[in-house]
Amino acid sequence: KTQEIVLLLCFGWIPKTIKKRVCSTFVEDSFSNGRLCQCGNRRVDHSSVALGDCFSTAIVNHWDSAQHSSEYPTDAFGEVQFTGTSKRHSHFLRLSWDTSPSMVYNVMIIHWRLPPPNLVVSVVGGDGRSKVKTWVREVIRQGLVKASQRAGAWILTTGLREGLSRCVGAAVRDHAAAASSDSNKVVALGIASWGLVHNREQLVNPKGSFPAKYYVQTSQDSCCLDNNYQAFLLVDDGTLGRRGGEMAFRAKLEDFISHQRTGSGSIDIPVLCVLISGERMDFCLKNSMPWLVLAGSGGTADFLSDLLDNLSSTQTFQSDSEAGPSVNMKEKVAEQAKRYFFTELVTDKLVDQVSALSIYQNRDLITIYHGEQESPADFDTVLLKALVGASKQRASDDASPYNEELKLAVTWNRVDIAKSELFNGDIQWKHEDLEESMTDVLINDKPQFVRLFTENGFNIHDYLSYGRLEELYCSVAEGTLLYQLLQRYLVSKVLDLLMGDVCQPFYQDVLGLEGNLSKKKSLLILHGEPEYRKGRCQSSWASLFIWAVLQNRSEMAAFFWEMQSESVLTALSGCKMLRELSRLESENETKLSMKELAQTFEMRAHDVFSSCYRSDESRSFDLLIRKSSVWGGTTCLQMGMGADARLFFGHDGVQALLSQIWWGDMDRNTEVWKLLLTFFCPFLCYTNFITFRQDDRQQEEEKLHVDGPSDSHYGTTVKSFSDLKNLNHLQPPPRPFIVSRWRQLWFAPVTSFLGNVLMYFLFLVFYAFVLLIDFKPPLPTGPSISECLLYFWVFTIMCEEIRRVTSNFIYLFFFSYIQDVWNKCYVIAITLFIAGSICRMFEQSYDAGHDILCVDYMVFTLRLIHMFAVHKQLGPKIIIIGKMMKDAFLFLFFLGVWIMAYGVASQALIYSYDPNLSRILRRVFYRPYLLMFGEDFVKEIDVGRDWVPKCTDNITLIEEGAEPCRLLYNNWLVVILLAIYLLVTNILLINLLIAMFSHTFSKVHGNSDIYWKFQRYNLVVQYHSRPSLAPPFIILSHINLFIRRIIRKVPSVKIKHFGYQKASNRLLTWETIQKEDVLTAQNKIQKSSDSERLKQISAKLDGVVKYLSEIRDIDHRLRALENEMKYCSNAHRWTVETLAQSSTFKPPRPPPLS
């Protein structure tokens, strides 16, 4: 009832605006002896006013709706429910024939919420109970309705359950049941005469029906409404039981819709009238409506088909100023009509309505379709050609004749038609002809058309300006995540939120905005018509790729990725944006699709880089560390880390580069024990005890010197200082061998790592020595010298952590730093150490400070786990332990529930009164926890066992701290609870924990190697940027860095090992070639798949069926030709025999023998 009240409030304005018609003048029908009016109603059904005007009735011979009917508020509107057929409700409205079409169209679009059409197909003919031919049914089902579904069309019929309308309704129902949820929906709209509808009184309700119960006769054809239609417009002209009362309104509505824009707004809504053995040609020919005539369907369709075939362009017609066609032409049309119509009334009416002159002058608007001979599968192509023929006639002279056809193909999303008809090489398209269509296909997500335009020479760089890019962002659909973000931030700010500190901000240099510009100030800058909108976008494909990825358009983004250079970095950037968007998305389905698309792009980056690595290892390394100007100066490694691309980092090529950087100038196969021995015997580095790669590089340089100098450093990999000097064309004076070899040993990240590990072990030993042996009392006695040295050691560790945060400000500032678990561990350890050191200096807090330092030792010791994460065997196991910790916390939740439940119950049952809080906490939590591990508390719990401690029942003593006595009477219940507790914890929960650990191990173990390889990058970067000396000697390195970076302003050289800026077009070309090879291989695999083979076989079978139908048509024609030849032969034989028997003509020679 509440819903009905809301609908009544929403549609209460309809009776005040939309009217119905009632006969107001009784005009006697001469064939009914005065019982009926010419409107079709009985005399008794007319009002007294209509019957009282005798004078007007006497002088009127013909009833006219405009003069002899009056308007009243409509009394039939709302929703109709077809009883016994379906539960779906359809909209209906009774309206006068002269109602404004714009008002009705707004009702359908706004109030009924019908989807705006991309095409309107008005089916005419086949009314009444005339049977529809079988092949016509197939054309409607396989051709008309299927093509309408692809185009998102409205189909207009009478909407009655009879003849052609019933066939259309059944076809729409079948296609709607088989269509997917995201496909276009066909809207079947019925426009019928109100006086013709059976059981129309069931729809009458002056307040509206929501819904009206309508009974449908399903046994046979009738004038009932068809339940397969979504809406009905019941046109009232005041007549009853007469056909054709809706024709005038229907023509006006079609004409109005033809001047409205489609949903994309690119073209007017095309309207096509389909004639199937029907009538009503003259209305639409005057409005320049295109017609599709189904030849062979019978009636007027066959008549017009033969008439157009017989009309010749050489015939002379009268000019438009003359009253009508010539008498001879009327006679010819009448003779032609007699072949199809037997009654003179129908023939005369048809000759008057369908003038040969009007048909010939509008012959471009009429398309003949021989459905019995052609395949219904090509019906959408026929519809398109019929509409294009009409649009060409209306197009201006300066417009391209194919623009309308292209716009229609784009609106219907029929790229196959565009390929075969428009982009087959016969048409030379101009850039300006495709600009509007390109904007349309981009906004409406039609990637196949974008690919088609690009393959046919469309220049995206000339097309995409910053103004057009802004227009594309303004077209984002409401309700999406991107739309919500754009409502709060500019595009550059949105990308900054998604990309973080991985790369520099986008578009801020174009907009002229500063990094921390507020939204209010940015709006002032963008007010008016900024100059940047006229400029061409510098990276067109990358900008379009970002735009498509932000909207989660998979096919569009995939095509833009194919067109963009820097394939690996572009794919990783898309992966990064999508994974950040998935964290912000609230809808699960959209979030899942974003994650799947992100995984797809990560796989593309992996495949392309794999092809590059197989082709050339050195170039692939350059690809990983090259800084991109398009993507804000970032590299593939940095973007992959930001995108959490674990699969990409698990590639052997990425790990080979990390290993190369990790070992520096030393050979990657160097044993660790050799390095450790060199720490204690430094002179070994000047021997061949450790192999360096410099010797191999010198041999390569000598070979290049013999072959000749190279004009570029293409293929040079930045992995060491020697590589970097060659790359930057720096030729400093050579250092002495002693200095250069020393730098090669100590500047390698692996050397820094091993030095830090050794010194950290020494730090932990020294820390333990201070806590256990040399921890002096507070001031002024303490601290000892060893403890002061420990303070200095921790101070150097803290200085190194501060340097990491400040030196990596661009890529790893504090908020990113603190997100790492091990960095948090270091911060906690240093904080606790500072707090403990301060507390131990004072006598009041000495013990607390000692305790804090003891706990802090454990935190420092746990830091060892992070150091050994680089180990190939220990690293994956550490990851598995980290995953199991999550299971352990979940187990502790269940365990805590049981401990509290049993602990409180057992304590209350054993001791009735015990106010000692510390004793209660130990017995409630500590005792049940130890029971789980087998600790024996049976003597305390079981009163039947002896227990040594003395107890008392004196409340005063108990309050003073004495041990209370145990209760005896309910001890049996305590024993039962103990048994249940041990059963649940020791058997159920422990086995649950084991099962959870087993599941986690089996699940993570297969991917633990990938996780370890991914985390290895952070460790390599950390020790690569770390000074060579370990704490506490690292303070010397910090002083050196302060002098070089702050005072002397000398830039860092090691930071370029993970990224260099160099124009390398050859490198990008090589990467593009590898990408094309990957795409070619994927296309081959896809074409060889079973689904593609089935599609190819289906297409071939369709071609065979079409060819067989053509053969059948040729065979039919040959048989007809044989019959005609046989007839001609008999006629000739008869002529020869007649002439031979005649005495008036003597032939010079006898007739030829057969």
Side-chain angles (χ1 to χ4, degrees), residues 529-590:
E529 190 67 25
E531 291 294 331
Y532 74 89
R533 294 178 180 173
K534 301 178 182 178
R536 298 295 173 186
C537 192
Q538 298 298 324
S539 305
S540 302
W541 292 117
S543 299
L544 290 175
F545 174 78
I546 294 173
W547 172 78
V549 165
L550 292 179
Q551 297 185 83
N552 195 26
R553 295 182 175 182
S554 57
E555 294 185 20
M556 191 81 77
F559 172 71
F560 293 147
W561 173 81
E562 294 177 10
M563 302 303 298
Q564 168 67 11
S565 59
E566 304 178 344
S567 308
V568 177
L569 182 55
T570 302
L572 292 175
S573 302
C575 179
K576 165 70 173 174
M577 289 183 286
L578 286 167
R579 282 177 176 160
E580 293 296 332
L581 285 171
S582 64
R583 296 186 180 98
L584 301 175
E585 182 61 51
S586 57
E587 296 184 4
N588 292 331
E589 185 176 354
T590 306

Side-chain angles (χ1 to χ4, degrees), residues 840-858:
R840 66 96 53 221
M841 296 297 176
F842 306 99
E843 185 176 358
Q844 295 81 359
S845 59
Y846 172 80
D847 294 333
H850 180 267
D851 297 341
I852 293 174
L853 290 176
C854 293
V855 174
D856 190 40
Y857 180 81
M858 295 181 60

Side-chain angles (χ1 to χ4, degrees), residues 295-308:
S297 59
T300 310
D302 293 350
F303 164 69
L304 291 176
S305 175
D306 286 350
L307 184 62
L308 287 175

